[in-house]
Amino acid sequence: MKTYFELFWIFFKIGTFTLGGGYAMVPLIQDEIVNKKKWIEKEEFINLLALAQSSPGALAINVAVFVGFKIKKYIGMFATVMGAVLPAFLIIWLLAALFKNFQNNPYVIKAFKAIRPMVVALIGGSVYTIGKQAKINKFTLIIVLVIAVLVSQFKFPPIMVIIVGAIAGNIWMMNRKGAK
């Protein structure tokens, strides 16, 4: 029972105090689950993260699903998802109730403008951490840059990137196994 509460509490804390969505949460989740609790190995966490990113839905929820299930099956998954979802639900509910009264307040407007660069920094830190752990080399860096340009400049559909990446990855792995 203690582990279920710990899973819930870890994701609840992260969900409460992390701005910027799923990518900003990743390093915090990794620190708690991999580094502090040692419930999952670093390499396995990267694999779970890749699976969460390629699954439909919000990254934070997908990570919560996969981590919770890995650690304590269905009840663990329920605990992590509830922990991840509940803070956002409560905060949005409260903000929606209060927003009409404060939406034109200059201090609120300035606060939201000040938060934007912090969110970008959190996401950038997450990208750096993931890239470092994914063992990015010159070849894979070229792939990352080409895909970033395709998606951002040429509006290449991200779902096609995932499909092509999955197919190419499987072909590459089959050829690699065949060569050994």
Side-chain angles (χ1 to χ4, degrees):
M1 194 66 171
K2 179 184 174 199
T3 304
Y4 298 120
F5 179 75
E6 284 180 294
L7 285 168
F8 172 83
W9 187 242
I10 286 168
F11 279 83
F12 187 86
K13 286 187 306 185
I14 292 169
T16 301
F17 298 107
T18 306
L19 300 172
Y23 291 102
M25 296 171 87
V26 169
L28 301 172
I29 295 169
Q30 181 180 358
D31 185 53
E32 289 286 336
I33 301 297
V34 176
N35 301 339
K36 290 181 183 172
K37 295 291 183 180
K38 299 192 186 312
W39 285 334
I40 297 177
E41 295 294 321
K42 187 182 287 189
E43 189 71 28
E44 189 171 15
F45 182 78
I46 296 299
N47 292 337
L48 289 175
L49 182 60
L51 186 59
Q53 288 174 312
S54 60
S55 299
L59 179 67
I61 303 305
N62 291 348
V63 170
V65 165
F66 291 126
V67 167
F69 187 81
K70 171 67 182 156
I71 295 169
K72 282 290 188 178
K73 302 294 180 219
Y74 293 102
I75 298 175
M77 179 178 68
F78 180 77
T80 55
V81 169
M82 289 306 295
V85 170
L86 197 55
F89 173 78
L90 295 174
I91 291 168
I92 290 170
W93 182 54
L94 179 65
L95 287 176
L98 299 174
F99 187 69
K100 193 169 188 165
N101 299 330
F102 296 104
Q103 72 185 33
N104 295 321
N105 183 309
Y107 296 108
V108 172
I109 293 167
K110 288 177 184 176
F112 279 114
K113 284 184 180 178
I115 288 172
R116 289 179 190 163
M118 291 179 240
V119 170
V120 171
L122 288 170
I123 293 170
S126 182
V127 168
Y128 176 76
T129 301
I130 293 166
K132 196 169 143 184
Q133 293 171 351
K135 300 174 184 150
I136 299 291
N137 57 34
K138 289 177 185 177
F139 176 71
T140 54
L141 181 61
I142 291 168
I143 294 171
V144 169
L145 295 174
V146 167
I147 291 170
V149 168
L150 283 173
V151 172
S152 67
Q153 301 301 311
F154 297 103
K155 308 300 181 219
F156 194 81
I159 189 66
M160 291 304 296
V161 171
I162 293 169
I163 292 168
V164 169
I167 292 169
N170 277 297
I171 292 169
W172 185 73
M173 289 302 288
M174 286 189 301
N175 287 336
R176 191 172 146 186
K177 285 181 184 176
K180 288 184 179 182

